[in-house]
Amino acid sequence: MANSTPQAIALGFEAISMAAGRASMRVPWREDLVEEAGSQSLASGVITTLTDHCCGMAVAAVEEDRFPTATLDLRIDFLRPAAPGAGVMVEAHCYRTTESLAFVRASAWDVSPEDPIATVQAAFVLNGPQSPRPAS
């Protein structure tokens, strides 16, 4: 998913890992992605988009025959701004699925997972096998 959408490619998302309902992704710091001139912190919209992509990747790691998924709900609590000049890492875990839904938790951080920037709770609709999985 890191390079399966034009948006993810434009933002420079990188897939780090994917295994059994878990995924991790990162976005390197870039000056054109900062919140406001002079802040040097990545924009909250970039972090929200990264968490959405990473949560979807965690769902895909569980439901390989039911790809693609669609975001039904995504709640993100920002705990603090990203450190100036720092990239952001996200880890997501798909902890439960039903016939039609998948539930995911995620956390985003810049320096340490012990000091998160944001936490996420999300739900995804499982669409069934409608199209081939994008090449990775």
Side-chain angles (χ1 to χ4, degrees):
M1 293 191 82
N3 55 14
S4 65
T5 69
Q7 183 184 32
I9 294 168
L11 293 172
F13 292 173
E14 300 171 359
I16 303 301
S17 66
M18 182 175 173
R22 295 186 181 271
S24 62
M25 297 177 70
R26 70 179 295 266
V27 59
W29 182 87
R30 283 191 349 222
E31 190 167 352
D32 62 325
L33 301 178
V34 300
E35 187 82 45
E36 56 189 63
S39 77
Q40 300 300 306
S41 296
L42 284 176
S44 58
V46 172
I47 296 167
T48 300
T49 303
L50 179 66
T51 60
D52 187 24
H53 274 74
C54 192
C55 288
M57 197 164 107
V59 172
V62 172
E63 299 288 342
E64 290 190 17
D65 62 334
R66 301 180 74 184
F67 194 84
T69 63
T71 307
L72 178 64
D73 182 48
L74 188 134
R75 176 192 164 91
I76 184 165
D77 293 317
F78 282 94
L79 307 174
R80 63 177 177 84
V88 171
M89 177 84 165
V90 173
E91 284 186 354
H93 175 219
C94 179
Y95 62 93
R96 183 171 173 92
T97 60
T98 68
E99 270 303 303
S100 58
L101 297 173
F103 301 94
V104 184
R105 292 185 184 114
S107 180
W109 71 89
D110 46 12
V111 177
S112 166
E114 306 304 319
D115 186 21
I117 296 167
T119 57
V120 174
Q121 178 75 44
F124 288 79
V125 174
L126 299 173
N127 289 327
Q130 298 176 0
S131 60
R133 179 180 293 272
S136 52

